[in-house]
Each structure stands twice: as structure tokens, then as C-alpha cells.
Amino acid sequence: MQPENIKNRAYKFSLEVVKLSDNFSRSKLSTIIILKQLIRAATSIAANLIEAKATSSKKDFINFNYHSLKSANETIYWLDLLADSQPSCKKEILKLRNEADEISKIIASCILKLKK
């Protein structure tokens, strides 16, 4: 079972990513693409954790947690790419990257416990 606070933490993280995205100019196509992918991946973490809560089987519950983990790992990729392409905001982006990494580790730990 997931700790209840991971859903809240993932939701707050999603919100922080959305807020961060508002700080960037939409004048570069590459930035637009990175931000769209980042927001999609980041918001998917909490969305899949919420979906997991509504499942009727342990297998489905684990599957939604896997999707959440995959989204967390994808989010890390997009944050790294954004940090390297936007050096002026690197500190703020790396803070979010660290949070994504911690969320990923918590979800992975939950999956391992569920599989035992």
C-alpha cells in the first residue's frame, strides 16, 4: 500500500512544475516542446497514484504504481533537459529534480513491498 502522503507530495510536485513552466518564454519551439512533455509526465505521477487507489485488484494497483514510477523517471529526464537548456533557472529546476527523484524512490519502494 502507498503511504497516503505520497499522493499529496506528488500532487504538490505537479503544481510546482506547472508554476515553474509559467516562468519560461514561449518564444522557442524547443522550450515549448520540453515544457509540454515535462508537464504531461509530472502530472501523470499523481494521476496514476490516484487511479491506483480506485483499482479492484492488487495486480492493477501495482500496474498503476509502475506507470507512476515510469512518469517520475520520465519527469527527471525532462527536468535535466530543461536545466541544461535553461541555465539561468538551473537551481530552481534542480530542486524539482531532487523532489522527483525522491518521489520515484518512494514509489519504487512501495512497488517492491507490494510484490512481496
Side-chain angles (χ1 to χ4, degrees):
M1 186 138 230
Q2 308 160 333
E4 189 60 37
N5 69 346
I6 189 62
K7 289 180 217 122
N8 294 331
R9 192 168 171 178
Y11 176 83
K12 288 176 185 174
F13 172 75
S14 299
L15 189 57
E16 290 303 314
V17 168
V18 170
K19 288 177 183 178
L20 173 76
S21 73
D22 288 339
N23 294 334
F24 293 97
S25 167
R26 301 299 198 270
S27 63
K28 287 184 175 180
L29 180 60
S30 60
T31 303
I32 293 169
I33 292 169
I34 293 169
L35 290 173
K36 281 184 178 184
Q37 291 291 96
L38 172 60
I39 291 170
R40 184 194 54 74
T43 57
S44 182
I45 300 167
N48 279 297
L49 292 174
I50 297 300
E51 286 284 332
K53 189 176 180 180
T55 60
S56 58
S57 73
K58 185 175 180 178
K59 181 181 176 184
D60 285 343
F61 186 80
I62 292 170
N63 192 36
F64 276 106
N65 276 273
Y66 267 124
H67 287 297
S68 187
L69 177 60
K70 288 168 59 176
S71 293
N73 290 330
E74 181 183 351
T75 299
I76 291 168
Y77 168 79
W78 291 115
L79 285 167
D80 285 344
L81 190 59
L82 187 63
D84 288 341
S85 66
Q86 303 287 332
S88 62
C89 299
K90 197 167 193 163
K91 184 177 178 183
E92 188 176 357
I93 295 166
L94 291 179
K95 182 179 172 187
L96 287 173
R97 191 223 187 271
N98 289 338
E99 177 66 359
D101 189 50
E102 286 185 30
I103 289 170
S104 176
K105 288 176 183 174
I106 292 167
I107 296 168
S109 175
C110 291
I111 292 169
L112 289 174
K113 287 177 187 173
L114 286 165
K115 292 181 113 185
K116 288 183 180 181

PDB file of all heavy atoms in Angstrom, residues 3-26:
ATOM      1  N   PRO A   3       2.009   5.008   0.985  1.00  0.00           N
ATOM      2  CA  PRO A   3       1.779   5.958   2.081  1.00  0.00           C
ATOM      3  C   PRO A   3       0.869   7.073   1.564  1.00  0.00           C
ATOM      4  O   PRO A   3       1.022   7.523   0.434  1.00  0.00           O
ATOM      5  CB  PRO A   3       3.171   6.497   2.393  1.00  0.00           C
ATOM      6  CG  PRO A   3       4.137   5.743   1.559  1.00  0.00           C
ATOM      7  CD  PRO A   3       3.377   4.948   0.556  1.00  0.00           C
ATOM      8  N   GLU A   4      -0.093   7.468   2.346  1.00  0.00           N
ATOM      9  CA  GLU A   4      -1.073   8.473   1.901  1.00  0.00           C
ATOM     10  C   GLU A   4      -0.394   9.778   1.484  1.00  0.00           C
ATOM     11  O   GLU A   4      -0.805  10.421   0.546  1.00  0.00           O
ATOM     12  CB  GLU A   4      -2.090   8.734   3.012  1.00  0.00           C
ATOM     13  CG  GLU A   4      -3.257   9.598   2.584  1.00  0.00           C
ATOM     14  CD  GLU A   4      -4.082   9.017   1.440  1.00  0.00           C
ATOM     15  OE1 GLU A   4      -4.275   7.799   1.383  1.00  0.00           O
ATOM     16  OE2 GLU A   4      -4.540   9.813   0.596  1.00  0.00           O
ATOM     17  N   ASN A   5       0.688  10.147   2.164  1.00  0.00           N
ATOM     18  CA  ASN A   5       1.327  11.421   1.853  1.00  0.00           C
ATOM     19  C   ASN A   5       2.037  11.435   0.495  1.00  0.00           C
ATOM     20  O   ASN A   5       2.327  12.502  -0.018  1.00  0.00           O
ATOM     21  CB  ASN A   5       2.271  11.838   2.976  1.00  0.00           C
ATOM     22  CG  ASN A   5       3.500  10.965   3.081  1.00  0.00           C
ATOM     23  OD1 ASN A   5       3.567   9.879   2.505  1.00  0.00           O
ATOM     24  ND2 ASN A   5       4.474  11.435   3.813  1.00  0.00           N
ATOM     25  N   ILE A   6       2.315  10.279  -0.105  1.00  0.00           N
ATOM     26  CA  ILE A   6       2.976  10.294  -1.417  1.00  0.00           C
ATOM     27  C   ILE A   6       2.047  10.883  -2.475  1.00  0.00           C
ATOM     28  O   ILE A   6       2.503  11.580  -3.378  1.00  0.00           O
ATOM     29  CB  ILE A   6       3.519   8.891  -1.835  1.00  0.00           C
ATOM     30  CG1 ILE A   6       4.392   9.005  -3.095  1.00  0.00           C
ATOM     31  CG2 ILE A   6       2.403   7.911  -2.060  1.00  0.00           C
ATOM     32  CD1 ILE A   6       5.614   9.857  -2.955  1.00  0.00           C
ATOM     33  N   LYS A   7       0.763  10.632  -2.356  1.00  0.00           N
ATOM     34  CA  LYS A   7      -0.189  11.213  -3.311  1.00  0.00           C
ATOM     35  C   LYS A   7      -0.199  12.744  -3.175  1.00  0.00           C
ATOM     36  O   LYS A   7      -0.177  13.449  -4.174  1.00  0.00           O
ATOM     37  CB  LYS A   7      -1.585  10.647  -3.092  1.00  0.00           C
ATOM     38  CG  LYS A   7      -1.707   9.213  -3.519  1.00  0.00           C
ATOM     39  CD  LYS A   7      -3.107   8.704  -3.267  1.00  0.00           C
ATOM     40  CE  LYS A   7      -3.005   7.290  -2.814  1.00  0.00           C
ATOM     41  NZ  LYS A   7      -3.567   6.977  -1.553  1.00  0.00           N
ATOM     42  N   ASN A   8      -0.226  13.209  -1.937  1.00  0.00           N
ATOM     43  CA  ASN A   8      -0.204  14.659  -1.704  1.00  0.00           C
ATOM     44  C   ASN A   8       1.118  15.269  -2.162  1.00  0.00           C
ATOM     45  O   ASN A   8       1.126  16.344  -2.765  1.00  0.00           O
ATOM     46  CB  ASN A   8      -0.427  14.971  -0.224  1.00  0.00           C
ATOM     47  CG  ASN A   8      -1.803  14.585   0.246  1.00  0.00           C
ATOM     48  OD1 ASN A   8      -2.753  14.584  -0.529  1.00  0.00           O
ATOM     49  ND2 ASN A   8      -1.913  14.226   1.508  1.00  0.00           N
ATOM     50  N   ARG A   9       2.188  14.588  -1.894  1.00  0.00           N
ATOM     51  CA  ARG A   9       3.514  15.073  -2.283  1.00  0.00           C
ATOM     52  C   ARG A   9       3.627  15.132  -3.810  1.00  0.00           C
ATOM     53  O   ARG A   9       4.149  16.101  -4.365  1.00  0.00           O
ATOM     54  CB  ARG A   9       4.574  14.156  -1.693  1.00  0.00           C
ATOM     55  CG  ARG A   9       5.964  14.677  -1.778  1.00  0.00           C
ATOM     56  CD  ARG A   9       6.881  13.854  -0.915  1.00  0.00           C
ATOM     57  NE  ARG A   9       8.265  14.219  -1.146  1.00  0.00           N
ATOM     58  CZ  ARG A   9       9.282  13.693  -0.498  1.00  0.00           C
ATOM     59  NH1 ARG A   9       9.084  12.784   0.436  1.00  0.00           N
ATOM     60  NH2 ARG A   9      10.518  14.073  -0.768  1.00  0.00           N
ATOM     61  N   ALA A  10       3.133  14.092  -4.481  1.00  0.00           N
ATOM     62  CA  ALA A  10       3.162  14.066  -5.947  1.00  0.00           C
ATOM     63  C   ALA A  10       2.273  15.156  -6.533  1.00  0.00           C
ATOM     64  O   ALA A  10       2.625  15.783  -7.539  1.00  0.00           O
ATOM     65  CB  ALA A  10       2.743  12.693  -6.459  1.00  0.00           C
ATOM     66  N   TYR A  11       1.134  15.405  -5.898  1.00  0.00           N
ATOM     67  CA  TYR A  11       0.246  16.476  -6.371  1.00  0.00           C
ATOM     68  C   TYR A  11       0.928  17.838  -6.231  1.00  0.00           C
ATOM     69  O   TYR A  11       0.930  18.638  -7.169  1.00  0.00           O
ATOM     70  CB  TYR A  11      -1.066  16.462  -5.580  1.00  0.00           C
ATOM     71  CG  TYR A  11      -1.972  17.597  -5.968  1.00  0.00           C
ATOM     72  CD1 TYR A  11      -2.800  17.507  -7.086  1.00  0.00           C
ATOM     73  CD2 TYR A  11      -1.976  18.784  -5.249  1.00  0.00           C
ATOM     74  CE1 TYR A  11      -3.611  18.560  -7.456  1.00  0.00           C
ATOM     75  CE2 TYR A  11      -2.790  19.837  -5.612  1.00  0.00           C
ATOM     76  CZ  TYR A  11      -3.607  19.725  -6.711  1.00  0.00           C
ATOM     77  OH  TYR A  11      -4.409  20.783  -7.095  1.00  0.00           O
ATOM     78  N   LYS A  12       1.519  18.088  -5.075  1.00  0.00           N
ATOM     79  CA  LYS A  12       2.216  19.363  -4.854  1.00  0.00           C
ATOM     80  C   LYS A  12       3.380  19.522  -5.827  1.00  0.00           C
ATOM     81  O   LYS A  12       3.632  20.620  -6.328  1.00  0.00           O
ATOM     82  CB  LYS A  12       2.709  19.460  -3.407  1.00  0.00           C
ATOM     83  CG  LYS A  12       1.590  19.664  -2.412  1.00  0.00           C
ATOM     84  CD  LYS A  12       2.113  19.667  -0.984  1.00  0.00           C
ATOM     85  CE  LYS A  12       0.954  19.752   0.003  1.00  0.00           C
ATOM     86  NZ  LYS A  12       1.395  19.618   1.384  1.00  0.00           N
ATOM     87  N   PHE A  13       4.068  18.426  -6.096  1.00  0.00           N
ATOM     88  CA  PHE A  13       5.152  18.458  -7.067  1.00  0.00           C
ATOM     89  C   PHE A  13       4.623  18.846  -8.446  1.00  0.00           C
ATOM     90  O   PHE A  13       5.204  19.695  -9.121  1.00  0.00           O
ATOM     91  CB  PHE A  13       5.842  17.082  -7.125  1.00  0.00           C
ATOM     92  CG  PHE A  13       6.848  16.975  -8.227  1.00  0.00           C
ATOM     93  CD1 PHE A  13       8.085  17.599  -8.117  1.00  0.00           C
ATOM     94  CD2 PHE A  13       6.554  16.275  -9.384  1.00  0.00           C
ATOM     95  CE1 PHE A  13       9.022  17.515  -9.145  1.00  0.00           C
ATOM     96  CE2 PHE A  13       7.475  16.175 -10.403  1.00  0.00           C
ATOM     97  CZ  PHE A  13       8.708  16.799 -10.296  1.00  0.00           C
ATOM     98  N   SER A  14       3.523  18.239  -8.851  1.00  0.00           N
ATOM     99  CA  SER A  14       2.898  18.583 -10.139  1.00  0.00           C
ATOM    100  C   SER A  14       2.586  20.074 -10.217  1.00  0.00           C
ATOM    101  O   SER A  14       2.847  20.723 -11.231  1.00  0.00           O
ATOM    102  CB  SER A  14       1.588  17.807 -10.337  1.00  0.00           C
ATOM    103  OG  SER A  14       1.788  16.441 -10.359  1.00  0.00           O
ATOM    104  N   LEU A  15       2.036  20.578  -9.151  1.00  0.00           N
ATOM    105  CA  LEU A  15       1.688  22.002  -9.100  1.00  0.00           C
ATOM    106  C   LEU A  15       2.928  22.885  -9.216  1.00  0.00           C
ATOM    107  O   LEU A  15       2.918  23.891  -9.935  1.00  0.00           O
ATOM    108  CB  LEU A  15       0.938  22.287  -7.798  1.00  0.00           C
ATOM    109  CG  LEU A  15       0.299  23.653  -7.645  1.00  0.00           C
ATOM    110  CD1 LEU A  15      -0.684  23.942  -8.775  1.00  0.00           C
ATOM    111  CD2 LEU A  15      -0.407  23.748  -6.303  1.00  0.00           C
ATOM    112  N   GLU A  16       4.010  22.493  -8.566  1.00  0.00           N
ATOM    113  CA  GLU A  16       5.257  23.260  -8.656  1.00  0.00           C
ATOM    114  C   GLU A  16       5.829  23.241 -10.076  1.00  0.00           C
ATOM    115  O   GLU A  16       6.365  24.244 -10.550  1.00  0.00           O
ATOM    116  CB  GLU A  16       6.289  22.740  -7.654  1.00  0.00           C
ATOM    117  CG  GLU A  16       5.944  23.041  -6.201  1.00  0.00           C
ATOM    118  CD  GLU A  16       5.763  24.524  -5.928  1.00  0.00           C
ATOM    119  OE1 GLU A  16       6.604  25.333  -6.369  1.00  0.00           O
ATOM    120  OE2 GLU A  16       4.770  24.873  -5.262  1.00  0.00           O
ATOM    121  N   VAL A  17       5.705  22.116 -10.756  1.00  0.00           N
ATOM    122  CA  VAL A  17       6.176  22.034 -12.145  1.00  0.00           C
ATOM    123  C   VAL A  17       5.332  22.951 -13.035  1.00  0.00           C
ATOM    124  O   VAL A  17       5.877  23.672 -13.885  1.00  0.00           O
ATOM    125  CB  VAL A  17       6.143  20.575 -12.659  1.00  0.00           C
ATOM    126  CG1 VAL A  17       6.353  20.517 -14.168  1.00  0.00           C
ATOM    127  CG2 VAL A  17       7.205  19.745 -11.944  1.00  0.00           C
ATOM    128  N   VAL A  18       4.023  22.956 -12.828  1.00  0.00           N
ATOM    129  CA  VAL A  18       3.149  23.839 -13.611  1.00  0.00           C
ATOM    130  C   VAL A  18       3.517  25.302 -13.361  1.00  0.00           C
ATOM    131  O   VAL A  18       3.628  26.095 -14.305  1.00  0.00           O
ATOM    132  CB  VAL A  18       1.662  23.571 -13.278  1.00  0.00           C
ATOM    133  CG1 VAL A  18       0.760  24.631 -13.885  1.00  0.00           C
ATOM    134  CG2 VAL A  18       1.259  22.177 -13.763  1.00  0.00           C
ATOM    135  N   LYS A  19       3.741  25.655 -12.102  1.00  0.00           N
ATOM    136  CA  LYS A  19       4.138  27.032 -11.771  1.00  0.00           C
ATOM    137  C   LYS A  19       5.480  27.387 -12.406  1.00  0.00           C
ATOM    138  O   LYS A  19       5.646  28.487 -12.930  1.00  0.00           O
ATOM    139  CB  LYS A  19       4.213  27.224 -10.259  1.00  0.00           C
ATOM    140  CG  LYS A  19       2.870  27.248  -9.572  1.00  0.00           C
ATOM    141  CD  LYS A  19       3.058  27.379  -8.069  1.00  0.00           C
ATOM    142  CE  LYS A  19       1.755  27.346  -7.319  1.00  0.00           C
ATOM    143  NZ  LYS A  19       1.938  27.418  -5.859  1.00  0.00           N
ATOM    144  N   LEU A  20       6.431  26.450 -12.350  1.00  0.00           N
ATOM    145  CA  LEU A  20       7.737  26.686 -12.961  1.00  0.00           C
ATOM    146  C   LEU A  20       7.591  26.951 -14.454  1.00  0.00           C
ATOM    147  O   LEU A  20       8.230  27.848 -14.992  1.00  0.00           O
ATOM    148  CB  LEU A  20       8.658  25.480 -12.743  1.00  0.00           C
ATOM    149  CG  LEU A  20       9.992  25.533 -13.486  1.00  0.00           C
ATOM    150  CD1 LEU A  20      10.946  26.505 -12.797  1.00  0.00           C
ATOM    151  CD2 LEU A  20      10.608  24.147 -13.591  1.00  0.00           C
ATOM    152  N   SER A  21       6.754  26.202 -15.108  1.00  0.00           N
ATOM    153  CA  SER A  21       6.601  26.345 -16.558  1.00  0.00           C
ATOM    154  C   SER A  21       6.103  27.729 -16.952  1.00  0.00           C
ATOM    155  O   SER A  21       6.398  28.208 -18.049  1.00  0.00           O
ATOM    156  CB  SER A  21       5.675  25.267 -17.118  1.00  0.00           C
ATOM    157  OG  SER A  21       4.337  25.532 -16.777  1.00  0.00           O
ATOM    158  N   ASP A  22       5.358  28.367 -16.064  1.00  0.00           N
ATOM    159  CA  ASP A  22       4.856  29.717 -16.353  1.00  0.00           C
ATOM    160  C   ASP A  22       5.975  30.762 -16.382  1.00  0.00           C
ATOM    161  O   ASP A  22       5.777  31.862 -16.879  1.00  0.00           O
ATOM    162  CB  ASP A  22       3.800  30.129 -15.321  1.00  0.00           C
ATOM    163  CG  ASP A  22       2.502  29.374 -15.498  1.00  0.00           C
ATOM    164  OD1 ASP A  22       2.260  28.850 -16.612  1.00  0.00           O
ATOM    165  OD2 ASP A  22       1.729  29.289 -14.524  1.00  0.00           O
ATOM    166  N   ASN A  23       7.157  30.414 -15.857  1.00  0.00           N
ATOM    167  CA  ASN A  23       8.282  31.347 -15.829  1.00  0.00           C
ATOM    168  C   ASN A  23       9.046  31.433 -17.139  1.00  0.00           C
ATOM    169  O   ASN A  23       9.907  32.292 -17.291  1.00  0.00           O
ATOM    170  CB  ASN A  23       9.270  30.954 -14.723  1.00  0.00           C
ATOM    171  CG  ASN A  23       8.686  31.103 -13.347  1.00  0.00           C
ATOM    172  OD1 ASN A  23       7.789  31.897 -13.123  1.00  0.00           O
ATOM    173  ND2 ASN A  23       9.180  30.319 -12.418  1.00  0.00           N
ATOM    174  N   PHE A  24       8.753  30.527 -18.072  1.00  0.00           N
ATOM    175  CA  PHE A  24       9.529  30.465 -19.305  1.00  0.00           C
ATOM    176  C   PHE A  24       8.818  31.131 -20.465  1.00  0.00           C
ATOM    177  O   PHE A  24       7.604  31.046 -20.597  1.00  0.00           O
ATOM    178  CB  PHE A  24       9.843  29.009 -19.680  1.00  0.00           C
ATOM    179  CG  PHE A  24      10.762  28.347 -18.712  1.00  0.00           C
ATOM    180  CD1 PHE A  24      10.265  27.551 -17.699  1.00  0.00           C
ATOM    181  CD2 PHE A  24      12.135  28.546 -18.790  1.00  0.00           C
ATOM    182  CE1 PHE A  24      11.103  26.945 -16.791  1.00  0.00           C
ATOM    183  CE2 PHE A  24      12.989  27.948 -17.882  1.00  0.00           C
ATOM    184  CZ  PHE A  24      12.474  27.151 -16.880  1.00  0.00           C
ATOM    185  N   SER A  25       9.614  31.756 -21.305  1.00  0.00           N
ATOM    186  CA  SER A  25       9.104  32.361 -22.525  1.00  0.00           C
ATOM    187  C   SER A  25       8.683  31.250 -23.484  1.00  0.00           C
ATOM    188  O   SER A  25       9.340  30.215 -23.583  1.00  0.00           O
ATOM    189  CB  SER A  25      10.197  33.215 -23.171  1.00  0.00           C
ATOM    190  OG  SER A  25       9.840  33.562 -24.477  1.00  0.00           O
ATOM    191  N   ARG A  26       7.621  31.485 -24.184  1.00  0.00           N
ATOM    192  CA  ARG A  26       7.137  30.508 -25.162  1.00  0.00           C
ATOM    193  C   ARG A  26       7.586  30.880 -26.574  1.00  0.00           C
ATOM    194  O   ARG A  26       6.981  30.501 -27.549  1.00  0.00           O
ATOM    195  CB  ARG A  26       5.606  30.407 -25.133  1.00  0.00           C
ATOM    196  CG  ARG A  26       4.986  29.993 -23.802  1.00  0.00           C
ATOM    197  CD  ARG A  26       5.457  28.628 -23.389  1.00  0.00           C
ATOM    198  NE  ARG A  26       4.641  27.983 -22.390  1.00  0.00           N
ATOM    199  CZ  ARG A  26       4.799  28.075 -21.092  1.00  0.00           C
ATOM    200  NH1 ARG A  26       5.742  28.843 -20.600  1.00  0.00           N
ATOM    201  NH2 ARG A  26       4.035  27.410 -20.263  1.00  0.00           N
TER     202      ARG A  26
END
